[in-house]
Amino acid sequence: MVDNKHGDIKVTIKNGDTLTVPKGTSIEEIVCRIGGRIVKEALAAKVDGQVQGLATPLLVDCQLEILKFSDPEGAAVLWHSTSHVLAQAVKRLYSNVKLGIGPAIAEGFYYDFDFPISFSVDDFDKIEAEMQRIIKEDLPIERLEMSRQEAERFFEQLNEVYKVELIRQLPDNETISCYRQGEFVDLCAGPHLPSTGRIKAFKLLNLAGAYWRGDENRPMLQRIYGTAFPKQKLLTEYLERLEEAKKRDHRRLGRELDLFSFHEEGPGFPFYHPKGMIIRQELENFWHEEHRRAGYQQIQTPIILNRSLWEQSGHWDHYKENMYFTHIDEESYAVKPMNCPGAMLIYRTKLHSYRDLPLRLAELGLVHRHERSGTLHGLLRVRSFTQDDAHIFMLPEQIEDEISGVINLVDRFYSVFGFSYHVELSTRPEKAMGSEEMWEKATTTLREVLDNKELDYRINEGDGAFYGPKIDFHLQDSLGRTWQCGTIQLDFQMPEKFDLTYIGEDGQKHRPVMIHRVIYGAMERFIALLIEHYGGAFPAWLAPVQAVVMPISEKQHEYAASVYQKLVTRGVRAELDDRNEKIGFKIREAQLQKILYMLVIGEKEKTEGNIALRHRSEGDLGAISLESFLEKISEEIYLKK
């Protein structure tokens, strides 16, 4: 920002327009001057790139971008302000409650409360009614700044022990700000909406327990989740999507379709049932086929390796809190959390020439990572999972071609499952190996590849792996949710740490460059994603049961058994339902099990040597010969892949 000592300042709007306004004009006044729909839609603004509330006065020349709900920062301001209204309502209703924190999160907000009585969802109506009163009061939301001593004393008097702890942990030079709305004051960096009346539609969603500061040794607080939207219509649509998501929850479908289970004897360690293994094996078979075509060679490395290897790789210093350990022959070993060190040991077993490169080594490697019990979530967050890893060793001049090849392979995989995706470029984290120069070189290389392929991408600052920047692929499922699965990580560090070399054209030793990459990501997570994406109704090639044969009565049992045997012989995953039940009951059960095709056999079908074919979503398809059905399903399996 440029300071202007005169009475007027220049405000440059994102669209390029420039306004001259008196110094001290608020952002909201400028929004009103712009006029149009933005007056109703504005939630906050960026001033020279920094998010500010609409009530903020502008004192110097600046660049201004108005933020709406469609902007992530704008939505976050709405959600954060609604979390404060939630906290105020709870304080009004329950005087002895203590406040934790209440941030905006993806698609909403939460607030943590320390309260001796357990909340339940039955309390939500009462809390929401009080929130509506606060919104109707249209209380101004005002920013206050305090000294450290003032802030400590203020929250001590309120007996807000968690706020006092937060204040004491702030850096000495940190500005301590609070926001007041009516009688309620909360410690907060902001920004917020100008008043509570700006909140139009909200809903409290669920409850959970949460340790204070995520520490299992600290008090367990009660976390209330909610969301808010600028229009009731948007909230209604969101709640409908949540209901659909509940129906598709992979944990529920995993039980109902008999795909997998979890047990107290191994929390966070999935057990695959036979039908779940079919899905997994089909995914693996597809993976093997595509990687052979793309020039990869498959390897397998041990699950347990000596501590010295993990010290050499850097995992000991950067990742050991997520690792499991054991002792063998009085030496310390670690269960691998990643596959890369094993791949490098294989590379190092022989001398390589520049003619050998690129060398693409692929591994479906089982890894184990320690996750806190509170974070475990079905197949989405587990303690053991299989990564579809590959490590590519290459010449520096091959980097762009190899990364481009991986991107093409990723696109091939995701198109098969009907996923669209967006791309993010993740840069150097705080805890990283190697020099800034090396990181800059690697990051620039990835950026150039994305630019050359004309891919749209977002920058995700500070989210790279500890050894290198990465390209992440975020899939969008049938409900519009996004999931991070594939990743490409460019690594100049590991080849250095493991002293990997190749003999160049000049006869001298040189250092290869390395790519780490996954496409599915974690097999478990990808399977969970597929279950929810398809709602358990898998396409033909993935369906655990592709067809079920259903005789109407005992008279057709022999013919039905012969049909079933022909299906199995031709490679169709089939079942025979010859129970003494009515055909309507059998069809309903097959529908609940999401079975793709139902082959109904009555006396007419038996006499004519046909089947009556039903599809789980299309219903009755009429009479058809068994051979025609076999051709149909074979073509469907082929076309889906």
Side-chain angles (χ1 to χ4, degrees), residues 392-553:
I392 304 173
F393 303 89
M394 72 203 103
L395 309 175
E397 58 267 29
Q398 294 170 333
I399 292 174
E400 185 167 340
D401 285 345
E402 287 305 303
I403 294 176
S404 180
V406 175
I407 291 173
N408 293 341
L409 191 59
V410 168
D411 188 73
R412 158 70 177 145
F413 268 73
Y414 295 167
S415 65
V416 164
F417 300 102
F419 289 124
S420 59
Y421 60 87
H422 74 263
V423 178
E424 292 186 1
L425 174 59
S426 298
T427 61
R428 190 178 193 268
E430 286 186 21
K431 196 175 181 182
M433 292 193 316
S435 66
E436 289 192 17
E437 292 77 16
M438 191 170 283
W439 271 86
E440 182 59 33
K441 177 182 177 183
T443 305
T444 299
T445 301
L446 293 183
R447 185 181 288 111
E448 288 174 351
V449 173
L450 291 172
D451 290 339
N452 290 339
K453 289 190 74 67
E454 298 183 349
L455 280 175
D456 291 330
Y457 62 93
R458 295 200 287 259
I459 302 294
N460 191 1
E461 294 289 353
D463 200 44
F466 68 83
Y467 46 77
K470 58 178 181 165
I471 297 170
D472 289 328
F473 297 85
H474 295 256
L475 307 190
Q476 182 171 312
D477 69 10
S478 59
L479 294 180
R481 300 171 300 181
T482 57
W483 310 80
Q484 196 271 307
C485 290
T487 188
I488 305 171
Q489 300 168 356
L490 183 58
D491 185 359
F492 292 92
Q493 316 286 342
M494 292 290 179
E496 188 76 31
K497 279 187 164 291
F498 282 84
D499 193 25
L500 304 185
T501 60
Y502 66 90
I503 303 301
E505 290 186 77
D506 58 2
Q508 301 300 309
K509 285 186 177 181
H510 299 272
R511 194 76 71 202
V513 182
M514 182 177 175
I515 288 174
H516 311 246
R517 47 112 291 196
V518 294
I519 298 177
Y520 290 142
M523 289 291 292
E524 283 67 19
R525 192 163 190 262
F526 197 79
I527 290 170
L529 193 163
L530 288 180
I531 292 170
E532 299 193 2
H533 179 60
Y534 294 126
F538 292 98
W541 71 284
L542 281 176
V545 181
Q546 295 164 328
V548 57
V549 182
M550 302 174 172
I552 292 177
S553 71

Side-chain angles (χ1 to χ4, degrees), residues 94 96 115-119 222:
Y94 311 98
N96 58 336
F115 189 49
I117 301 171
S118 294
F119 291 119
Q222 299 182 69

Side-chain angles (χ1 to χ4, degrees), residues 27-191:
I27 296 172
E28 186 159 33
E29 289 174 307
I30 292 174
V31 170
C32 292
R33 182 166 166 178
I34 295 170
R37 290 176 56 185
I38 196 67
V39 175
K40 288 186 176 181
E41 295 179 351
L43 295 172
K46 280 185 181 177
V47 181
D48 289 339
Q50 184 176 0
V51 181
Q52 301 281 0
L54 294 177
T56 304
L58 300 179
L59 304 175
V60 294
D61 295 352
C62 61
Q63 302 279 334
L64 184 69
E65 177 185 354
I66 310 302
L67 298 175
K68 302 175 293 185
F69 187 76
S70 56
D71 301 301
E73 301 97 331
V77 170
L78 172 62
W79 291 332
H80 195 180
S81 298
T82 313
S83 81
H84 277 220
V85 172
L86 166 61
Q88 184 177 12
V90 169
K91 289 290 285 185
R92 283 185 177 183
L93 294 168
Y94 311 98
S95 58
N96 58 336
V97 74
K98 294 183 178 65
L99 301 178
I101 59 173
I105 56 174
E107 299 191 332
F109 60 88
Y110 69 76
Y111 213 108
D112 289 341
F113 301 98
D114 187 344
F115 189 49
I117 301 171
S118 294
F119 291 119
S120 76
V121 291
D122 295 334
D123 298 313
F124 282 4
D125 286 346
K126 181 167 64 172
I127 296 172
E128 286 177 343
E130 190 61 41
M131 291 174 70
Q132 287 288 10
R133 277 190 282 274
I134 294 167
I135 291 169
K136 190 175 181 181
E137 291 169 17
D138 196 18
L139 302 171
I141 303 176
E142 303 168 300
R143 179 182 170 90
L144 311 171
E145 292 188 3
M146 302 183 184
S147 68
R148 183 179 301 273
Q149 293 75 19
E150 288 173 330
E152 277 192 43
R153 186 165 56 251
F154 179 82
F155 286 102
E156 281 173 349
Q157 289 171 351
L158 295 176
N159 198 27
E160 294 290 1
V161 294
Y162 299 105
K163 301 295 182 182
V164 173
E165 180 181 327
L166 292 172
I167 292 166
R168 289 173 178 167
Q169 291 177 351
L170 290 172
D172 291 339
N173 60 349
E174 187 85 8
T175 299
I176 298 177
S177 62
C178 301
Y179 280 81
R180 181 197 300 278
Q181 51 199 54
E183 82 288 353
F184 178 76
V185 180
D186 201 355
L187 177 72
C188 185

